[in-house]
Amino acid sequence: MKIILLGPPGAGKGTQAKQISTKYNIPHISTGDIFRKNISEKTELGVKAQSYIDKGLLVPDELTIDIIKDRLDNEDCKNGFLLDGFPRTVKQAEALELFLNQKGDKIDYVLLVKVPESSILERMTGRRVCLKCGASYHIKFNPPKVLGKCDACNSDIIQRKDDSEETVKERIDVYNKQTEPLIEYYDDKKIMHSVDGTQDIEVVFKSISDILGDN
Ligand code: AP5
Ligand code: MG
Ligand code: ZN
């Protein structure tokens, strides 16, 4: 199964991705997590990406597209994958489509997680993340079992630098201008399904499972 998770910052893409990846046994590929790992390891890519991410802007397509192509060529993507945070521009979507077409492949599902702007700020400012495994928590809506520690891998959880109020507002603006056109792009291809992301985490997951089925 080849799936794209689409939705504004804080929609719950990462939260749902962890559960989908486990249930359907497909790798969870988050461009945001890949960039953050590179930033923490101070790689050349990390240094380049950080200047954009800290401002809430998109990392240029040229950098992002090649990373995804490399990742999708890995053996573990043969039977499917779950893309979280990619594509984010029409140019990225076209590059992905061409790349898959050349292998005789295509995306099966695009899941649009819908959350109004009014909920996003509270979700983002209360979010804590694990830099090691990418798990997301929320101090109120989804707290970890042990304060400050990741349930999955016991590493420290931290607040993302781009989760400040000012940067979140910029990210929402960038989403509206650069990513929202993808809704029409995928709607035209008749592979898009909308999910109400304002429901409880488990209810959102149930809605997604109903769309994807049991296999
Ligand atoms: P990225 O890491 O992808 O950030 P994002 O898209 O802004 O999305 P988030 O990770 O902030 O939100 P999410 O939907 O995953 O929500 P989560 O599950 O954590 O990208 C970061 C940056 O990297 C970008 O700004 C850009 O610079 C760069 N980048 C990445 N990909 C790129 C690309 N393709 N091209 C160019 N640049 C790129 O949940 C949020 C919070 O809400 C959590 O606290 C969670 O616990 C809580 N929550 C989740 N679900 C619920 C629920 N149902 N009810 C209540 N609370 C909930
Ligand atoms: Mg995320
Ligand atoms: Zn972890």
Side-chain angles (χ1 to χ4, degrees), residues 7-16 30-33 35-36 49 52-54 56-61 64 84-89 92 123-124 126-129 136-139 141-142 160 162-163 171 197-202 204:
K13 302 182 296 293
T15 303
Q16 295 300 323
S30 154
T31 33
D33 287 350
F35 290 137
R36 280 184 289 278
Y52 299 95
I53 294 178
D54 284 356
L57 303 174
L58 294 185
V59 177
D61 288 337
T64 312
D84 160 12
F86 184 96
R88 249 177 157 96
T89 61
Q92 291 179 13
R123 284 194 181 188
M124 304 305 254
R127 170 162 63 180
R128 300 292 181 271
V129 296
S136 256
Y137 300 90
H138 191 283
I139 49 174
F141 305 131
N142 184 25
R160 265 170 52 176
D162 61 343
D163 277 350
R171 286 162 60 197
T198 62
Q199 310 169 96
D200 283 348
I201 291 172
E202 288 312 319
V204 178

